[in-house]
Amino acid sequence: MNFYRIDLERWSRRPYFEHFMNENKCSFSLTANVNVTTLLQQLRNKNLKFYPAFIYMVSRVVNKHVEFRTAYNQQGQLGYWDQMIPNYTIFHKEDRSFSAIWTEYSSNFLRFYENYQHDMEQYGNKKGLWVKENVPANTFSISSLPWVQFTSFNLHLYKGEEYLLPIITNGKYFSAGKEILIPVSLQVHHAVCDGYHVSMFINDLQMLADRCEEWI
């Protein structure tokens, strides 16, 4: 993984970054329904699971846009990672707890799916918050609430004013006529992302779902 520092003096976004980091610190979230009708059918046809496919799609979109890879490194320097790795939650039915697992990202879906399966076999039954050690610095968060069809979702990061990476949460998919939709929430820091970037994320995610035959 490589981290590229941003030169504030030459950064075109500097006025916006300084405004939303110093004068009016804020993050914001947007929730949209993504049509997964075709995606679910293709996954069923190939006996593949939805959750790793969702993680893959989200990771692919995050890695496509530098705005979703912008962060502070461990030395407190502002910059962006050349690649992001998903760190996602899994649920334990026995005690209703959850754990976070990270899986090495690959732009090749089947390779990523294999990485996911390997991690689930090794860590899926382990209990605790961080069950896979040595979490890379270039990870971002994905969580799932498959029990509720929510219309909005927002995290309140106390003392997290400098957390610049996106946080993605999906809910329970539901039927709308002949289509199946799933609510997806994206939370970002306004210092690095605007409404346009959030819109790109949702639109790119929908395009991947619609064209899933090209990558599954």
Side-chain angles (χ1 to χ4, degrees), residues 13 20-21 25-31 62 67-70 140-141 153-155 157 160-169 185-202:
R13 190 172 175 82
F20 290 114
M21 281 299 294
K25 288 186 178 181
C26 73
S27 62
F28 70 96
S29 63
L30 179 145
T31 300
V62 165
E67 291 82 8
F68 303 128
R69 293 182 277 118
T70 303
F140 71 100
S141 298
F153 184 87
N154 187 50
L155 288 168
L157 298 177
E161 299 92 343
E162 295 186 352
Y163 186 81
L164 305 179
L165 294 172
I167 301 174
I168 297 93
T169 306
S185 172
L186 170 65
Q187 180 153 322
V188 297
H189 200 299
H190 211 342
V192 295
C193 289
D194 303 322
Y196 171 75
H197 305 109
V198 172
S199 300
M200 282 197 307
F201 179 93
I202 297 298

Side-chain angles (χ1 to χ4, degrees), residues 2-6 66 69-71 78-83:
N2 295 309
F3 183 81
Y4 301 96
R5 292 184 62 182
I6 291 175
V66 68
R69 293 182 277 118
T70 303
L78 177 66
Y80 59 92
W81 298 102
D82 60 346
Q83 186 179 83

Side-chain angles (χ1 to χ4, degrees), residues 91-121:
F91 183 68
H92 303 293
K93 293 182 180 179
E94 314 83 53
D95 59 2
R96 299 176 184 176
S97 64
F98 75 92
S99 299
I101 298 177
W102 60 274
T103 290
E104 196 68 43
Y105 172 70
S106 171
S107 59
N108 181 289
F109 170 64
L110 293 181
R111 188 174 302 160
F112 174 79
Y113 198 91
E114 290 177 358
N115 293 342
Y116 170 89
Q117 287 185 307
H118 176 77
D119 284 333
M120 289 301 295
E121 290 171 1

Side-chain angles (χ1 to χ4, degrees), residues 20-62:
F20 290 114
M21 281 299 294
N22 302 321
E23 300 172 31
N24 291 291
K25 288 186 178 181
C26 73
S27 62
F28 70 96
S29 63
L30 179 145
T31 300
N33 292 325
V34 175
N35 190 328
V36 292
T37 310
T38 301
L39 174 64
L40 287 173
Q41 186 61 54
Q42 289 294 319
L43 291 172
R44 292 191 187 105
N45 291 343
K46 298 190 177 184
N47 196 30
L48 297 171
K49 297 178 180 179
F50 173 78
Y51 193 37
F54 177 78
I55 296 170
Y56 167 81
M57 292 192 303
V58 167
S59 301
R60 186 163 161 175
V61 176
V62 165

Side-chain angles (χ1 to χ4, degrees), residues 202-214:
I202 297 298
N203 292 336
D204 285 352
L205 195 65
Q206 183 63 71
M207 184 173 64
L208 285 173
D210 292 339
R211 301 180 182 178
C212 56
E213 299 97 334
E214 299 176 1

